[in-house]
Amino acid sequence: MTVNLKAPLKKNIINVPGFRFFTFGARIKLKNIKNDIVIVELGKKSKTAAVFTKNKFCAAPVLLAKDNLKSNDPRLFIINSGNANAGTGQKGIEDAKKINIELGRYFSLDPNLILPFSTGVILQNLPVERIKDSFKSNLTKIKYGSNWIDAAKSIMTTDTVPKAVSKKFNLGKYEITCTGIAKGSGMIHPNMATMLGFIFLDAKISKTLLKDLVRYVADRSFNLISVDGDTSTNDSFVISTSNDADNPVITKKDKMYIKLRHNVLEIAKDLAEKIVRDGEGATKFVEIEVKNAKNLSESKIIGKAIANSPLVKTAFFASDPNLGRILSAIGNAQLTDLDVSDIDLYLNNNIVVKNGMLSKRYSEKKAIEAMKSKEFKLSVDLKRGKEVATILTTDLSYEYVKINAEYRT
Amino acid sequence: MTVNLKAPLKKNIINVPGFRFFTFGARIKLKNIKNDIVIVELGKKSKTAAVFTKNKFCAAPVLLAKDNLKSNDPRLFIINSGNANAGTGQKGIEDAKKINIELGRYFSLDPNLILPFSTGVILQNLPVERIKDSFKSNLTKIKYGSNWIDAAKSIMTTDTVPKAVSKKFNLGKYEITCTGIAKGSGMIHPNMATMLGFIFLDAKISKTLLKDLVRYVADRSFNLISVDGDTSTNDSFVISTSNDADNPVITKKDKMYIKLRHNVLEIAKDLAEKIVRDGEGATKFVEIEVKNAKNLSESKIIGKAIANSPLVKTAFFASDPNLGRILSAIGNAQLTDLDVSDIDLYLNNNIVVKNGMLSKRYSEKKAIEAMKSKEFKLSVDLKRGKEVATILTTDLSYEYVKINAEYRT
């Protein structure tokens, strides 16, 4: 069940100079025969910055990747699906290190220059021996992938569609190439975890600004989506640049940086939106805009309070313009000094609540009509500032309960 | 759908000296023919303390009741079901005041000595004229109620069972009588709101301690339940004492106070538990105990993070011991310095997770067996302090989605 989402076309996904990948199967889940490992090689000039889950129960690969990122820029990523290596304690960290050491041997590389990413079942140990065996069969003669869609496919778990986006744009006279892949459809399938997002580009940029970029972009893309309000143990978002483009190195927050940031953000937002459209049991895609807020933080808090309310989400599912639930969710967000008698609500740009009360222009018939569509937009006007945030979310359907409840039964 | 919950027996619900009530119908919802108004008369020596919803979108009657409580102790409550008088702005407050003025005329009472409580549809104006008409027919010759179960019935909205509890206990040689009624089954049925709880007793106690009592009891009863994580616009919990018992006035936090508090808390916990057992679409009743926490606050935060996770709740529904989801919900609670490698989980006192990893003693078969029961207990041991809190919650079933989605369709 996806909401207006199709797999990307091969011709639209382009290779970024300075990066190569290959993918193979290690039967991480014994039954699986699909490719479940992706290895990404990063050029020698490449730089990487990342943000990781804030879940305190964060997985072993997250801890190791964070640690390895502190020193030198990585030269290799290994991403596996099927097992999250989360809730595995010290053994989980040792397992991830073993894989890095083994992989380092094949590439004559310091294991600390390898970043691991895992997604899949929680509370199970990584099948280290099977992964090592798969290295034997696949790393002596590497078959490089030709299209990143194959990488996107290999990192899928409960996703129904691979997620990849590419873009070329200019910084002055210099052409920049950027490709992103992602996976996730909520923190979802029983014991499954993780949103993973990777963006590769070739623009020359200082490490300090790359770190700024990854945070800025994450906050305005992946951190603005919500399927079920749960942050997984393995969530990771990474931006790597090969520094292979011809532009002069960006070292300041100048026009060139702003333009780069804008374009990378477009890619990230597109990937994030695809995750929501592939959300578990989603039958609706809903944009929740919270505008004229004092600051970005309060617009996010209110947007997520609405997006995460089961009562609001079931009303979305039923195409029921249940405005009381939306107002109540806003009231529950517990913002200091929020004056609810200032609040207006719009459904697809038609006013439905004015100053905290039903608008005189409200038509229930029209509201139901609007919500019957697979996609609609809800706007909250707080009238107390200038900031705006848009949260993307889904409804809560029978299918959601089914997917999440019927796995074992 | 209730989980092991039956209506109270008439013989078990007793009148508290100093309080009288009567109930009648005002057709607040035009279609309704049931009694939807309860009026409670409080004796001249009575004292009242209350806590109200923290939802910023709080209803007109809540604003007025809060205001009236600031000055003198109230002599009358008027509680209506069918309309919450929420999201009605200034007109809502004026409507509530009109009702109080009219009611004051019949009782020769200052309207400020009347506390209004409303529960029902949001965003609709109170039918003031119909309520006034009902006064004409019912207040000239009052027929007092004989059993508080009738009062409990009149305040029901989506509740399937009236909720009332009584208890007699001794403070030294003095007998105290205490009866409580409540309504609520989540913030639930489309546009319906509200948990209301009232406890009446006759113990002599100072106003200062009564205020302390209501907060203490609310925090350990009604504030520890969660059906869908939403706090309604009208939630109110009130304790009134007639001061008619013979005990010497309690003015200190002495043994007598502690004993009184214990007994009142028992009543409140019982009422709160009934609300959960009558929770929307509930097929399971789950106790989530969080123990050995640094403080009460963090045990509540973790308990509610688990209780409010849709992923955890659907797993409860499916009798699926999905421990990864529970650990992830704990990790998401974002407690500072929480060390997840300290955490143990128990299912009905059997260890399932030890130090953040699957316990060696874990048996999936036994865990499924335990969760197949209509009631089970989950314990989280944080091993970092001495505080404990137990959150009562339900699962998230197809029926929940149905109840909340199919109202208008």
Side-chain angles (χ1 to χ4, degrees):
Chain A
M1 268 164 111
T2 60
V3 186
N4 299 335
L5 177 67
K6 283 183 183 164
L9 296 174
K10 282 213 166 190
K11 63 169 182 172
N12 292 334
I13 305 304
I14 38 187
N15 288 323
V16 181
F19 298 97
R20 293 195 294 188
F21 80 93
F22 51 98
T23 170
F24 52 91
R27 292 172 64 234
I28 287 173
K29 285 179 94 173
L30 260 178
K31 287 179 205 163
N32 271 3
I33 47 158
K34 75 160 198 134
N35 283 353
D36 49 16
I37 290 188
V38 180
I39 290 179
V40 181
E41 286 180 29
L42 300 91
K44 284 190 179 160
K45 293 180 288 170
S46 71
K47 285 179 183 144
T48 295
V51 287
F52 297 96
T53 181
K54 286 178 183 156
N55 192 312
K56 290 271 172 188
F57 232 98
C58 83
V62 171
L63 293 170
L64 187 55
K66 271 182 169 174
D67 215 37
N68 286 354
L69 250 185
K70 275 181 200 155
S71 42
N72 292 306
D73 275 295
R75 292 292 160 255
L76 217 58
F77 296 165
I78 173 164
I79 318 163
N80 78 270
S81 60
N83 185 310
N85 195 5
T88 46
Q90 191 54 38
K91 177 167 167 43
I93 294 173
E94 277 155 27
D95 285 349
K97 281 185 178 169
K98 277 182 198 163
I99 303 286
N100 270 11
I101 290 168
E102 185 78 2
L103 198 54
R105 278 198 199 112
Y106 284 93
F107 287 85
S108 309
L109 204 62
D110 177 352
N112 296 329
L113 297 178
I114 303 172
L115 300 193
F117 301 90
S118 299
T119 172
V121 180
I122 302 183
L123 283 174
Q124 280 185 19
N125 291 315
L126 213 55
V128 174
E129 289 312 313
R130 283 209 297 282
I131 294 174
K132 281 187 179 177
D133 286 348
S134 77
F135 288 175
K136 251 183 232 165
S137 340
N138 294 284
L139 295 189
T140 42
K141 202 182 169 195
I142 294 171
K143 289 177 206 154
Y144 288 100
S146 60
N147 195 294
W148 285 85
I149 295 174
D150 295 330
K153 276 183 191 165
S154 304
I155 62 172
M156 284 166 66
T157 53
T158 53
D159 305 61
T160 64
V161 167
K163 296 163 186 83
V165 180
S166 283
K167 198 171 182 180
K168 284 193 182 207
F169 55 94
N170 284 311
L171 292 182
K173 57 181 178 180
Y174 309 102
E175 192 183 58
I176 305 297
T177 309
C178 189
T179 288
I181 60 170
K183 62 109 359 192
S185 62
M187 186 213 140
I188 31 175
H189 214 52
N191 282 327
M192 288 291 179
T194 308
M195 188 293 295
L196 293 180
F198 299 89
I199 290 181
F200 303 101
L201 70 161
D202 55 0
K204 283 200 178 74
I205 180 171
S206 75
K207 185 69 179 268
T208 313
L209 279 184
L210 191 67
K211 284 182 182 173
D212 179 80
L213 182 70
V214 76
R215 264 183 231 110
Y216 181 95
V217 168
D219 276 347
R220 285 156 185 81
S221 56
F222 295 104
N223 288 344
L224 294 181
I225 62 174
S226 176
V227 172
D228 47 26
D230 274 302
T231 308
S232 102
T233 51
N234 295 52
D235 290 349
S236 309
F237 171 53
V238 182
I239 301 181
S240 295
T241 178
S242 63
N243 277 302
D244 274 356
D246 294 323
N247 67 299
V249 186
I250 302 171
T251 55
K252 275 183 263 173
K253 291 193 180 177
D254 54 14
K255 269 190 189 170
M256 210 166 257
Y257 176 70
I258 304 293
K259 189 167 180 200
L260 174 71
R261 198 172 70 177
H262 170 79
N263 279 284
V264 174
L265 179 57
E266 290 294 302
I267 298 259
K269 281 167 88 168
D270 198 346
L271 290 170
E273 183 173 322
K274 286 184 194 322
I275 288 177
V276 177
R277 289 184 181 280
D278 200 8
E280 290 205 315
T283 76
K284 312 256 178 176
F285 175 80
V286 187
E287 277 181 83
I288 300 173
E289 178 192 60
V290 182
K291 63 187 177 186
N292 297 321
K294 271 190 189 168
N295 48 56
L296 193 63
S297 163
E298 75 172 27
S299 51
K300 280 187 187 183
I301 288 170
I302 289 189
K304 289 195 176 179
I306 299 170
N308 291 336
S309 159
L311 290 168
V312 170
K313 288 173 103 74
T314 44
F316 285 167
F317 171 54
S319 311
D320 172 10
N322 202 315
L323 306 170
R325 290 185 185 176
I326 295 165
L327 294 179
S328 184
I330 295 169
N332 268 334
Q334 287 304 316
L335 282 193
T336 330
D337 74 10
L338 182 70
D339 188 348
V340 294
S341 69
D342 274 346
I343 290 173
D344 294 351
L345 281 188
Y346 295 80
L347 189 57
N348 287 348
N349 303 320
N350 293 313
I351 193 159
V352 289
V353 167
K354 176 88 183 161
N355 296 331
M357 290 177 287
L358 209 61
S359 161
K360 280 169 190 160
R361 281 192 263 161
Y362 177 70
S363 149
E364 179 146 311
K365 203 181 148 206
K366 275 189 193 163
I368 292 172
E369 210 52 53
M371 288 181 72
K372 274 190 176 163
S373 164
K374 274 187 163 185
E375 307 199 9
F376 55 87
K377 182 178 171 180
L378 192 74
S379 298
V380 183
D381 190 346
L382 298 179
K383 299 183 204 159
R384 57 188 228 152
K386 289 183 172 178
E387 277 295 341
V388 58
T390 301
I391 305 285
L392 306 180
T393 194
T394 61
D395 55 345
L396 172 54
S397 67
Y398 291 120
E399 192 66 18
Y400 177 88
V401 179
K402 190 173 176 183
I403 292 170
N404 285 295
E406 287 199 342
Y407 180 66
R408 292 173 193 246
T409 50
Chain B
M1 268 165 112
T2 60
V3 185
N4 299 335
L5 177 68
K6 283 182 181 163
L9 296 174
K10 282 213 165 190
K11 63 170 183 173
N12 292 334
I13 305 304
I14 39 188
N15 287 322
V16 181
F19 298 97
R20 294 195 294 188
F21 80 93
F22 51 98
T23 170
F24 52 91
R27 291 171 64 234
I28 287 173
K29 286 179 91 171
L30 259 179
K31 286 180 205 165
N32 270 4
I33 47 157
K34 74 160 200 137
N35 284 353
D36 49 16
I37 290 189
V38 181
I39 290 179
V40 181
E41 286 181 31
L42 299 91
K44 286 191 177 160
K45 294 180 288 170
S46 70
K47 286 180 182 143
T48 295
V51 287
F52 297 96
T53 181
K54 287 179 184 158
N55 193 312
K56 291 273 173 185
F57 231 97
C58 84
V62 171
L63 294 170
L64 187 56
K66 271 182 168 174
D67 215 37
N68 286 355
L69 250 186
K70 275 181 199 154
S71 41
N72 293 305
D73 275 294
R75 292 293 159 255
L76 216 59
F77 296 166
I78 173 164
I79 317 162
N80 78 270
S81 60
N83 185 310
N85 194 5
T88 47
Q90 191 53 38
K91 176 166 166 46
I93 294 172
E94 278 155 26
D95 285 348
K97 281 185 177 168
K98 277 183 197 161
I99 303 286
N100 271 11
I101 290 168
E102 185 78 2
L103 198 55
R105 278 199 199 112
Y106 285 92
F107 287 85
S108 311
L109 205 62
D110 178 350
N112 296 329
L113 297 177
I114 302 172
L115 300 193
F117 301 91
S118 298
T119 173
V121 181
I122 303 183
L123 282 173
Q124 280 185 19
N125 290 315
L126 212 55
V128 174
E129 289 312 313
R130 284 209 296 282
I131 295 174
K132 281 187 179 176
D133 286 347
S134 77
F135 288 174
K136 251 183 231 164
S137 340
N138 295 282
L139 296 187
T140 42
K141 202 183 170 194
I142 294 170
K143 287 176 205 155
Y144 288 99
S146 61
N147 195 295
W148 285 85
I149 294 174
D150 295 330
K153 277 183 189 162
S154 304
I155 62 173
M156 283 165 66
T157 52
T158 53
D159 305 62
T160 64
V161 167
K163 296 164 186 82
V165 180
S166 283
K167 198 173 183 181
K168 285 193 182 208
F169 54 93
N170 283 311
L171 292 182
K173 57 181 179 179
Y174 308 103
E175 191 182 61
I176 305 296
T177 308
C178 188
T179 288
I181 61 169
K183 63 110 357 193
S185 63
M187 187 214 140
I188 30 177
H189 215 50
N191 282 327
M192 288 291 180
T194 309
M195 188 293 295
L196 294 179
F198 299 90
I199 290 181
F200 304 102
L201 71 162
D202 55 0
K204 282 199 177 77
I205 180 170
S206 75
K207 185 68 180 271
T208 312
L209 279 184
L210 191 67
K211 283 182 183 172
D212 179 80
L213 182 70
V214 76
R215 263 182 231 111
Y216 181 94
V217 168
D219 276 346
R220 285 156 185 82
S221 57
F222 295 104
N223 288 343
L224 293 181
I225 62 174
S226 175
V227 172
D228 46 27
D230 273 302
T231 307
S232 102
T233 50
N234 295 52
D235 289 349
S236 307
F237 171 54
V238 182
I239 301 181
S240 295
T241 179
S242 63
N243 277 302
D244 274 356
D246 294 323
N247 68 298
V249 187
I250 301 171
T251 56
K252 274 183 263 174
K253 289 191 180 178
D254 53 13
K255 271 190 188 172
M256 210 164 256
Y257 176 69
I258 304 294
K259 191 167 179 198
L260 174 71
R261 198 172 70 177
H262 170 79
N263 279 283
V264 174
L265 179 57
E266 290 294 300
I267 298 258
K269 281 168 88 168
D270 198 346
L271 290 170
E273 183 173 323
K274 286 184 195 320
I275 288 176
V276 177
R277 289 184 182 279
D278 200 8
E280 289 206 316
T283 76
K284 311 258 178 174
F285 174 80
V286 188
E287 278 181 83
I288 300 174
E289 178 192 60
V290 182
K291 64 187 178 186
N292 297 322
K294 272 190 188 167
N295 48 55
L296 193 63
S297 164
E298 74 172 28
S299 51
K300 281 187 189 183
I301 289 170
I302 289 190
K304 290 195 175 177
I306 298 170
N308 292 336
S309 160
L311 290 168
V312 171
K313 289 173 102 74
T314 44
F316 286 167
F317 172 53
S319 312
D320 172 9
N322 202 315
L323 306 169
R325 289 186 186 175
I326 295 166
L327 294 179
S328 184
I330 295 169
N332 267 333
Q334 287 306 313
L335 283 192
T336 330
D337 74 10
L338 182 70
D339 189 347
V340 294
S341 69
D342 273 347
I343 290 174
D344 294 351
L345 280 187
Y346 295 81
L347 189 57
N348 287 348
N349 302 319
N350 293 313
I351 193 158
V352 289
V353 167
K354 175 87 182 162
N355 296 331
M357 291 176 285
L358 209 60
S359 160
K360 281 170 189 160
R361 282 191 262 160
Y362 176 70
S363 149
E364 180 147 311
K365 203 181 147 206
K366 275 188 192 164
I368 291 172
E369 209 53 53
M371 289 182 70
K372 275 191 175 163
S373 165
K374 275 188 163 185
E375 307 198 8
F376 55 88
K377 182 178 171 181
L378 192 74
S379 298
V380 183
D381 189 346
L382 299 180
K383 299 184 202 158
R384 56 187 228 154
K386 288 183 172 177
E387 277 295 340
V388 58
T390 300
I391 306 286
L392 306 181
T393 193
T394 60
D395 56 345
L396 172 55
S397 67
Y398 291 121
E399 192 66 19
Y400 177 89
V401 178
K402 189 175 177 182
I403 291 171
N404 285 294
E406 288 199 341
Y407 180 66
R408 292 172 193 247
T409 51

